């Protein structure tokens, strides 16, 4: 134990800048890890109240949306339209979970998604759904109004509409973004 202390002191005396730098990097990494785990009680509570969901689900949506590069507000709106926040939702066409992923889409994003239970897992479902949405938005150079219909109908259908001079909007982006009044 004294050898380690001596070695540590030797390192600190001979390389003070490097030691200080490494200590600061380590402290910053620990703080980032703590911040990532720290609940954002204000935002999660606000979303939980707005959508009538648990604070835990709200926090999960916030965390996954941020990790996948999606604005949390967009993530909440997508989940509201797709599943109304029902974690075990099943669509008539075979889609599953909070983001209503088709099994083939889930597997194309993550080859380890082999069972319905894995796709229905809220963490997996949000991660894959938001990652897919991000890829569709990126495909259309950041255009959310094209990325959303591509998420809903597929990029092939959106590309075909654009090629044929038609508006690819099918009402889906208006539902998600709330840009058209509904009864």
């Amino acid at each position: 134990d004294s050898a380690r202390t001596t070695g540590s002191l030797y390192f600190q005396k001979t390389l003070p800048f490097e030691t200080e730098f490494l200590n600061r990097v380590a402290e910053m990494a620990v703080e980032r890890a703590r911040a990532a785990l720290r609940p954002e009680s204000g935002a999660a509570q606000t979303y939980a109240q707005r959508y009538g969901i648990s604070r835990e689900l709200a926090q999960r949506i916030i965390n996954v949306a941020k990790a996948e590069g999606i604005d949390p507000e967009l993530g909440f709106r997508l989940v509201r339209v797709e599943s109304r926040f029902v974690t075990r939702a099943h669509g008539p066409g075979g889609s599953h979970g909070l983001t209503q992923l088709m099994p083939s889409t889930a597997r194309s994003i993550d080859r380890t998604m082999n069972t319905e239970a894995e796709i229905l897992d809220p963490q997996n479902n949000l991660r894959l759904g938001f990652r897919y949405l991000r890829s569709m938005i990126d495909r259309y150079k950041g255009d959310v109004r094209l990325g959303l219909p591509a998420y809903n109908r597929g990029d092939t259908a959106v590309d075909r509409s654009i090629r044929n001079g038609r508006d690819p909007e099918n009402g889906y982006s208006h539902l998600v973004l709330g840009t058209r009044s509904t009864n």
Side-chain angles (χ1 to χ4, degrees), residues 108-125:
S108 74
I109 298 167
D110 183 344
R111 297 272 180 223
T112 66
M113 293 292 121
N114 294 317
T115 67
E116 183 178 314
E118 290 171 325
I119 296 169
L120 281 170
D121 174 74
Q123 187 73 22
N124 288 338
N125 193 274

Side-chain angles (χ1 to χ4, degrees), residues 64-81:
V64 175
K66 286 180 176 181
E68 296 300 331
I70 296 293
D71 181 339
E73 181 68 32
L74 179 59
F76 278 94
R77 288 170 179 253
L78 177 93
V79 172
R80 177 184 49 90
V81 167

Side-chain angles (χ1 to χ4, degrees), residues 90-101:
H90 286 80
S95 55
H96 302 309
L98 290 164
T99 61
Q100 287 295 282
L101 280 174

Side-chain angles (χ1 to χ4, degrees), residues 23-97:
N23 283 336
R24 289 175 65 201
V25 168
E27 288 170 8
M28 289 182 344
V30 167
E31 181 51 38
R32 270 196 307 270
R34 283 185 185 143
L37 295 174
R38 192 177 307 130
E40 296 180 26
S41 58
Q45 188 62 37
T46 299
Y47 283 120
Q49 289 173 342
R50 182 187 305 166
Y51 292 107
I53 60 175
S54 72
R55 191 180 160 290
E56 292 76 24
L57 179 57
Q59 188 63 57
R60 178 174 282 172
I61 292 170
I62 290 169
N63 292 344
V64 175
K66 286 180 176 181
E68 296 300 331
I70 296 293
D71 181 339
E73 181 68 32
L74 179 59
F76 278 94
R77 288 170 179 253
L78 177 93
V79 172
R80 177 184 49 90
V81 167
E82 288 293 342
S83 66
R84 302 221 182 269
F85 301 96
V86 176
T87 57
R88 301 196 57 81
H90 286 80
S95 55
H96 302 309

